């Protein structure tokens, strides 16, 4: 990806392009745009003392803002920065100290706030395979592989690098500057001198044009559509208030697990969580141009939500609850008549005593060149929990027994294809730096 000419595009578009391009070029473009001066300084709240940092890396909700209904509002800009160890074999104590010190430097430099920096570090099963020792039984972290019956016909890449740092902020320059600082490409970060970086211990994994970045927030998909740069966009207008490509709000409080609920309960990694990242191509041109609003709401929520106009244009009628539990018990009968089942309706079948087991932190991106996509990031206690919900979303038995087919009218399956999957352990903060399997 290359940066557009500054004079040809809007400010927001230029900033999003800068995050996707990354590196020094992306950052200086971003900085020049953020403060108008092209200086090497970002302007974020300073980090200060590390004593108040939460023990859980994934504890973001207390500091994140809320929307007008009280739902957690995710940060707008995201980078999933993939790294691998420079050396073969297992990391030593000095490597561990270097990584920990680099992460602490990020924390000293920038506050844990939406306009500051939120981050987690997650480790793949491939990382733990470096050790002879096995992960304790409390940690369910299988190698990534196909999850649903549909994936036998898809070509999916599985993550085998060592670790991913998920960087998030409302300020696009912050995520880029933090990534560059970890790589050792910046001496100062937000005016703070970076005494240490990952340099020498970790290196960027994957090809430079494989960078995983994205954005989420009301108005951003509509803005992308207006700018006309992304391919595969619909003719139908995406609602101004929609934060996601498919045009509806998501992440309502009542359909999200709490940060406590997704914790690993016992053992050395207690307080940590597991993370699944699935990259999807999303065919929003078909979604918007072939389906009516009634069909879209039926497929995303349930036909009852569509019949009773419960959702509104983009979900504005739903406060903190989709009320999806009203429709869950009817999923199999709905598959026969009227012959359509909703995505949320299917997924909610896997709630545990009414409690959703996944904490979803997904965001929009572009994939396969420049087509709409999603990095679907979910936190849960065990990867098997994710797989259980994902299979419920695929609804194989509904296609066998109902009037819906494998992909048609079976939630949103028709519009999605899986490109990439990865499983991660996100340890508690105390063990976030190159942990052994039993720290
Ligand atoms: C482009 C892809 C996706 C889109 C646009 C999407 C959209 C939505 C929407 C609009 C809702 C209802 C609002 C809400 O409850 O927050 C929802 C709920 C949900 N989705 Fe997705 N989703 C996508 C992919 C996935 C995937 C891959 C999973 C993996 C299992 C998933 C799991 C869930 C779950 C668990 C719920 C909540 C169900 C409940 O209320 O218990 N979604 N999604």
């Amino acid at each position: 990806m290359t940066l557009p000419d500054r004079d040809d595009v809007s400010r927001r578009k230029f900033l999003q392009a800068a995050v996707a391009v990354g590196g020094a070029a992306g950052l200086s473009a971003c900085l020049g745009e953020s403060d108008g001066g092209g200086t090497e300084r970002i302007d974020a709240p300073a980090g200060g003392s590390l004593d108040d940092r939460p023990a859980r890396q994934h504890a973001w909700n207390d500091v994140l803002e809320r929307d007008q209904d009280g739902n957690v509002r995710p940060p707008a800009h995201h980078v999933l920065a993939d790294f691998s160890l420079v050396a073969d074999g297992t990391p030593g104590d000095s490597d561990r100290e270097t990584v920990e010190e680099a992460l602490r430097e990020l924390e000293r430099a920038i506050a844990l706030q939406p306009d500051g920096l939120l981050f987690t570090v997650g480790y793949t099963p491939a990382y733990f395979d470096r050790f002879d020792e096995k992960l304790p039984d409390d940690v369910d972290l299988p190698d990534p592989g196909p999850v649903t019956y549909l994936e036998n016909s898809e070509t999916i890449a599985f993550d085998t690098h060592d670790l991913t740092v998920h960087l998030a902020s409302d300020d696009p320059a912050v995520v880029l500057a933090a990534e560059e600082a970890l790589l050792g490409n910046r001496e100062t970060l937000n005016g703070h001198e970076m005494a240490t970086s990952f340099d020498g211990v970790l290196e960027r994994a994957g090809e430079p044009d494989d960078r995983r970045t994205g954005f989420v927030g009301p108005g951003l998909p509509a803005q992308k559509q207006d700018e006309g740069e992304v391919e595969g966009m619909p003719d139908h207008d995406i609602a101004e208030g929609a934060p996601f490509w498919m045009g509806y709000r998501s992440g309502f409080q009542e359909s999200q697990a709490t940060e406590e609920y997704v914790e690993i309960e016992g053992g050395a990694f207690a307080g940590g969580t597991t993370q699944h990242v699935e990259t999807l191509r999303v065919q929003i041109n078909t979604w918007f141009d072939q389906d009516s609003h009634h069909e879209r709401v039926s497929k995303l929520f349930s036909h009852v939500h569509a019949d009773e106009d419960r959702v509104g244009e983009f979900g504005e009628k739903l406060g903190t609850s989709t009320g999806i539990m009203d429709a869950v018990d009817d999923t199999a009968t709905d598959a026969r008549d009227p012959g359509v089942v909703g995505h949320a309706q299917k997924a909610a079948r896997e709630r545990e005593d009414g409690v959703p087991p996944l904490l979803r932190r997904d965001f929009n991106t572009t994939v396969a060149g420049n087509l709409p996509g999603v990095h679907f990031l979910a936190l849960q206690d065990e990867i098997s929990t994710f797989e259980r919900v994902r299979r419920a979303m695929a609804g194989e038995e509904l296609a066998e027994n109902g009037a819906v087919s494998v992909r048609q009218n079976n939630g949103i399956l028709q519009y999605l294809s899986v490109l990439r999957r990865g499983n991660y352990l996100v340890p508690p903060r105390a063990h976030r730096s190159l942990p052994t399997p039993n720290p």
Side-chain angles (χ1 to χ4, degrees), residues 15 32 59 112 208 321 374:
L15 290 172
L112 181 71
S321 168
V374 165

Side-chain angles (χ1 to χ4, degrees), residues 175-192:
V175 285
L176 281 182
E179 182 186 18
E180 287 295 295
L182 288 177
L183 285 162
N185 296 338
R186 285 181 70 88
E187 286 173 9
T188 61
L189 179 64
N190 202 27
H192 173 83

Side-chain angles (χ1 to χ4, degrees), residues 244-246 248-256 278 280-282 300-301 318 322 324-325 343-351 355-358 360 362 373-374 376 378 386 389-391 393 412 416:
F244 292 97
W245 281 134
M246 291 184 91
Y248 296 88
R249 286 164 87 195
S250 183
F252 297 94
Q253 178 152 317
E254 167 264 7
S255 55
Q256 290 277 53
E278 164 175 332
L280 296 156
R281 153 106 167 88
V282 189
L300 205 43
F301 296 89
L318 306 167
T322 55
I324 201 68
M325 293 311 276
H343 161 74
Q345 181 182 18
K346 285 188 290 176
R349 292 179 299 165
E350 292 301 324
R351 287 195 186 186
V355 181
L358 307 191
R360 293 165 284 137
D362 46 315
V374 165
F376 185 84
F386 173 81
V389 182
R390 189 64 177 82
R391 288 190 189 110
M393 168 184 161
I412 53 176
L416 306 183

